[in-house]
């Protein structure tokens, strides 16, 4: 019984390390609630800029057996998913009209 008590916290934390089962079904146009449900909540950070929001998951693995975790970002405009994938958010636009965009790892290396 004691080994089970020690394993339980690790199992609960593991649920926030990999993607939720619904990630593969996400598409542009999904709601914020659909994103959080597919990813089983647990975002690392969120960032808001005007009408935009970035929901970021650091060091996540899209599948349990993948050995190289990455950072995955979901960009929403007015609560609707407009862009998502591996990468980080970047703020663009003006202070009066800010925009958040997804910068993919290949784009980061080019800078």
């Amino acid at each position: 019984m004691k080994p089970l008590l020690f394993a339980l916290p690790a199992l609960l934390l593991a649920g926030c390390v990999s993607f939720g089962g619904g990630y593969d079904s996400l598409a542009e146009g999904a709601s914020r609630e659909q994103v959080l449900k597919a990813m089983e909540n647990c975002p690392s950070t969120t960032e808001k800029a005007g009408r935009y929001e970035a929901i970021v998951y650091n060091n996540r693995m899209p599948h349990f057996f993948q050995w190289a975790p990455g950072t995955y970002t979901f960009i929403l405009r007015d609560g609707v998913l407009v862009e998502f994938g591996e990468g980080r958010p970047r703020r663009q636009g003006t202070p009066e009209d800010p925009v958040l965009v997804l910068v993919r790892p290949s784009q980061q290396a080019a800078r």
Side-chain angles (χ1 to χ4, degrees), residues 47 49 52 54 56 73 75 83 87-93 98-104 107-111:
E47 178 182 349
Y52 289 82
V56 181
T73 299
I75 305 289
E83 188 176 16
R88 298 195 173 275
R90 179 178 298 147
R91 190 179 291 245
Q92 294 182 340
V99 175
L100 290 173
V101 297
L102 174 64
V103 179
R104 299 188 186 276
Q107 295 169 318
Q108 291 173 356
R111 293 191 89 211

Side-chain angles (χ1 to χ4, degrees), residues 16-80:
C16 289
V17 173
S18 62
F19 287 177
Y23 174 78
D24 293 333
S25 67
L26 284 175
E28 292 179 8
S31 70
R32 183 180 197 280
E33 292 74 26
Q34 289 172 309
V35 171
L36 293 174
K37 183 177 179 183
M39 296 299 290
E40 296 178 357
N41 293 314
C42 304
S44 300
T45 61
T46 61
E47 178 182 349
K48 292 191 178 210
R51 299 171 52 196
Y52 289 82
E53 178 181 16
I55 302 173
V56 181
Y57 294 85
N58 290 321
N59 299 317
R60 298 300 170 98
M61 296 175 280
H63 301 288
F64 181 74
F65 294 105
Q66 182 179 355
W67 294 103
T71 297
Y72 292 83
T73 299
F74 298 81
I75 305 289
L76 297 101
R77 183 178 60 226
D78 298 328
V80 176

